Amino acid sequence: GMPYWQVISIMILLGLGVIGPLMSMGQSAVAMAVDTKYIGISSSVVGFWRNIGGVMGASIMAVLVNASLKNSSQEAIAKFQIPDQQAATLTNPETVLRGASEMPADLLAFMRNAIGNAISHGFILALFVMAAGAIIALTLGNARLQKKPETEEENAPVVHTA
């Protein structure tokens, strides 16, 4: 029931206010913490682990949401005495929403609530992961980003001999 403009506004706010700045700050912090010759390697390692974390986080969240929805579907099947041929449709949120006009009102309300609760469980997990990350970040130490002094050795060309 949320208006389209509100959804778009929230996405823009998250992109500009949270996701965008945090990604670039983390990348810059790693780049400033290593020697100049390792900036490329460190940047690619950060990007690699960011991607792995995103894939693992989305997968774990999906498993949690699907398990919660499956439990709710089994509860609905028992509570509303749903025949076996219709039971499979309750485990898929898309079919629940598409078939909303064909469902009894009390079953539809139960399943909409179940889908909302399942998604909430996934975001609660994300909240705990975020809190753990914040605690770890705050306890890592008091390093400050400072420009490294340039020396003649750093500016000298590298000569390889065979």
Side-chain angles (χ1 to χ4, degrees), residues 69 89-100 103 115:
L69 186 58
T89 62
L90 292 181
T91 59
N92 185 347
E94 186 176 343
T95 57
V96 169
L97 298 176
R98 281 187 183 173
M103 281 187 181
I115 292 169

Side-chain angles (χ1 to χ4, degrees), residues 23 27 30 39-57:
M23 294 293 183
Q27 193 81 30
V30 170
I39 289 177
I41 294 170
S42 66
S43 295
S44 64
V45 168
V46 168
F48 172 78
W49 285 109
R50 182 183 306 136
N51 288 338
I52 293 296
V55 168
M56 292 299 296

